[in-house]
Amino acid sequence: MNFLEFSRRMAVFPAFSVREIEKQFPGFDRRRLIEWQNKGYLQKIRNEYYCLTDRQQTEGLSFYIANLIYRPSYVSMESALSLYGLIPQGVFQAISCTTLKTAAFETPAGNFKYRHIKPVLYFGFRLERRDDYTVLAASPEKALIDCLYLTSSINSEQDIVELRWNRHEINEKVSMSRLADYQRYISSKTLDKRIKILKAYLNA
């Protein structure tokens, strides 16, 4: 098999696993992967995941890869806040929540961080479009909940100020009733305290 045929068939996948390659090309010789990496045609992300090197690196692609290489997971926390414009700056790594153990991967396709959450907290995400990619991401409300629940340094309004959360955008885009529903469901005194701090910041 030549790389032209391979790339034509695999270009429909933003990133792909060896298993997906073998579905497309039964009997595929894995030695080609090393050969094509050495020639700069392919980029290994981690373990058995790859992408074509001519694909433009965007935030949407980073989020797509984040979903793919460590599952189950969904993009959340600062990455999701950035997705919805709730923080002013971009995030230099894709941050996700997962029921697997906490992990981080530095790869040629970007840096990926995963925060462990209990299975009971694995909810509040949906499909979103970013840079022509469909990605699994926390809703604005769940992204805030995940940040508040997992960020131990949030103990005052000033801590939220330093995180540069956009008060106006949060008030415009976040459903306070849904946030309250999530809060009741989780039933955590620590989360209750931090949501009280958040509400004081939003109403300041």
Side-chain angles (χ1 to χ4, degrees):
M1 178 204 307
N2 62 46
F3 182 75
L4 227 81
E5 171 60 18
F6 176 89
S7 62
R8 184 188 66 80
R9 189 94 59 93
M10 300 309 295
V12 299
F13 304 100
F16 42 83
S17 65
V18 172
R19 181 177 296 182
E20 190 59 57
I21 295 171
E22 290 173 341
K23 283 182 186 177
Q24 300 295 319
F25 302 98
F28 178 77
D29 184 349
R30 293 192 181 198
R31 289 176 298 180
R32 298 285 80 78
L33 296 174
I34 298 171
E35 174 189 331
W36 293 337
Q37 282 180 81
N38 290 338
K39 290 183 176 179
Y41 301 159
L42 274 185
Q43 198 171 61
K44 184 175 182 178
I45 303 169
R46 71 172 292 262
N47 292 348
E48 297 195 339
Y49 292 96
Y50 296 83
C51 63
L52 300 172
T53 52
D54 62 359
R55 190 172 289 276
Q56 183 182 2
Q57 297 291 326
T58 64
E59 187 175 64
L61 177 59
S62 179
F63 291 170
Y64 179 95
I65 292 172
N67 286 172
L68 179 69
I69 64 174
Y70 204 64
R71 294 183 283 183
S73 67
Y74 61 90
V75 172
S76 189
M77 303 190 71
E78 291 87 352
S79 291
L81 296 183
S82 173
L83 176 66
Y84 300 119
L86 303 184
I87 54 176
Q89 72 276 16
V91 179
F92 296 105
Q93 61 181 338
I95 306 170
S96 303
C97 287
T98 179
T99 54
L100 303 177
K101 67 180 182 179
T102 293
F105 308 109
E106 294 184 7
T107 83
N111 296 331
F112 303 92
K113 182 178 181 180
Y114 299 85
R115 296 293 303 271
H116 168 75
I117 56 173
K118 299 173 184 177
V120 71
L121 300 180
Y122 195 80
F123 70 92
F125 46 84
R126 63 197 190 191
L127 293 174
E128 290 284 345
R129 293 289 290 175
R130 183 69 162 187
D131 304 324
D132 297 324
Y133 299 97
T134 300
V135 301
L136 201 61
S139 66
E141 298 79 13
K142 188 54 164 46
L144 285 172
I145 289 283
D146 288 340
C147 279
L148 293 168
Y149 190 79
L150 295 171
T151 307
S152 60
S153 60
I154 297 177
N155 295 298
S156 68
E157 287 181 56
Q158 183 58 35
D159 294 329
I160 292 180
V161 170
E162 290 173 4
L163 291 173
R164 300 183 67 194
W165 291 5
N166 189 312
R167 181 186 289 113
H168 173 75
E169 291 297 318
I170 292 173
N171 280 321
E172 286 290 316
K173 296 177 179 177
V174 171
S175 165
M176 289 297 124
S177 63
R178 184 174 297 132
L179 195 74
D181 288 343
Y182 289 171
Q183 180 183 359
R184 282 191 294 271
Y185 174 74
I186 294 170
S187 186
S188 160
K189 290 183 180 179
T190 299
L191 179 62
D192 291 347
K193 174 187 172 183
R194 291 178 185 155
I195 286 182
K196 186 176 180 180
I197 293 169
L198 172 66
K199 288 181 176 178
Y201 167 74
L202 294 177
N203 295 321

